[in-house]
């Protein structure tokens, strides 16, 4: 068999690219939800959710999942906006064409921040 030479670069995968939704949820709960919250306010918020929407009881008992995933999404959103800000700063350093690109990055960042709220 003839040797195969690959000239491309490797695809860099993030942790979130290879994890299942359940694993992402477990990591988010461990990272964002404190043990005190986990045993007090999490169950209280779940009971309140059942009170205001009784049919949600059919989904089962998941006291801390909503808060953990909300905090995880917020963290990812802030990282993405930070990356867009750094791209904008880099584009401003260059010439006039890059300044035009910087304005485009600013527009994309504004739209991303407005949509993700």
């Amino acid at each position: 068999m003839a040797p195969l030479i690959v000239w491309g670069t490797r695809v860099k995968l993030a942790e979130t690219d290879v994890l299942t939704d359940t694993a992402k949820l477990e990591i988010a709960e461990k990272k964002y939800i404190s043990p005190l919250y986990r045993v007090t306010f999490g169950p209280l918020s779940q009971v309140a959710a059942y009170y205001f929407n009784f049919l949600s009881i059919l989904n089962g008992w998941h006291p801390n999942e909503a808060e953990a995933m909300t905090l995880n999404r917020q963290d990812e959103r802030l990282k993405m906006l930070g990356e867009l800000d750094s791209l904008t700063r880099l584009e401003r350093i260059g010439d006039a064409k890059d300044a035009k690109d910087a304005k485009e990055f600013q527009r994309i960042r504004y739209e991303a921040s407005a949509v993700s709220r």
Side-chain angles (χ1 to χ4, degrees), residues 83-114:
E83 290 172 2
L84 286 174
D85 285 342
S86 67
L87 287 173
T88 304
R89 282 192 297 276
L90 286 174
E91 289 293 331
R92 282 191 202 141
I93 294 171
D95 58 6
K97 179 189 176 295
D98 290 339
K100 181 180 174 186
D101 291 339
K103 287 185 180 183
E104 181 67 17
F105 280 125
Q106 286 176 333
R107 185 190 62 77
I108 291 170
R109 188 208 184 280
Y110 174 76
E111 289 176 1
S113 66

Side-chain angles (χ1 to χ4, degrees), residues 6-104:
V6 179
W7 294 102
T9 59
R10 291 185 179 195
V11 176
K12 295 181 181 177
L13 296 175
E15 179 183 79
T16 55
D17 295 336
V18 295
L19 294 175
T20 64
D21 291 337
T22 307
K24 288 178 189 177
L25 179 62
E26 288 177 12
I27 290 171
E29 283 181 350
K30 289 178 184 174
K31 185 175 181 180
Y32 300 110
I33 306 295
S34 70
L36 178 64
Y37 186 91
R38 202 172 289 146
V39 296
T40 56
F41 297 112
L44 287 175
S45 67
Q46 185 70 40
V47 169
Y50 290 155
Y51 178 76
F52 291 113
N53 183 7
F54 183 72
L55 293 179
S56 67
I57 202 165
L58 299 175
N59 293 333
W61 179 256
H62 308 285
N64 299 308
E65 291 180 0
E67 293 89 354
M69 290 311 292
T70 300
L71 292 170
N72 188 33
R73 282 192 299 273
Q74 179 69 8
D75 193 34
E76 289 175 0
R77 175 183 165 272
L78 292 174
K79 285 179 187 174
M80 178 201 57
L81 292 176
E83 290 172 2
L84 286 174
D85 285 342
S86 67
L87 287 173
T88 304
R89 282 192 297 276
L90 286 174
E91 289 293 331
R92 282 191 202 141
I93 294 171
D95 58 6
K97 179 189 176 295
D98 290 339
K100 181 180 174 186
D101 291 339
K103 287 185 180 183
E104 181 67 17

